[in-house]
Amino acid sequence: MAPAGDRTGYWGPPTSTLDWCEENYVVSSYIAEFCDGLAPSALKRFIFARGGE
């Protein structure tokens, strides 16, 4: 696997000077940080499951 700076995904090469949490484009070339993309989805499911309260 190439280092994060060498990987180019669908949205172009990473331009950030800092990579805080995880490597970019590891799981999919369409998702730069996979786990950071899943967290909001899980939160939305939890809220909607409770009826939005």
Side-chain angles (χ1 to χ4, degrees):
M1 186 177 331
D6 295 342
R7 251 181 261 126
T8 301
Y10 179 78
W11 306 106
T15 58
S16 175
T17 57
L18 297 173
D19 201 4
W20 293 101
C21 299
E22 57 187 297
E23 293 184 42
N24 297 318
Y25 304 115
V26 173
V27 177
S28 170
S29 62
Y30 294 99
I31 303 172
E33 292 184 347
F34 188 76
C35 291
D36 287 342
L38 288 181
S41 298
L43 180 59
K44 287 178 187 176
R45 282 186 173 195
F46 176 74
I47 291 170
F48 288 133
R50 293 187 45 104
E53 296 179 17

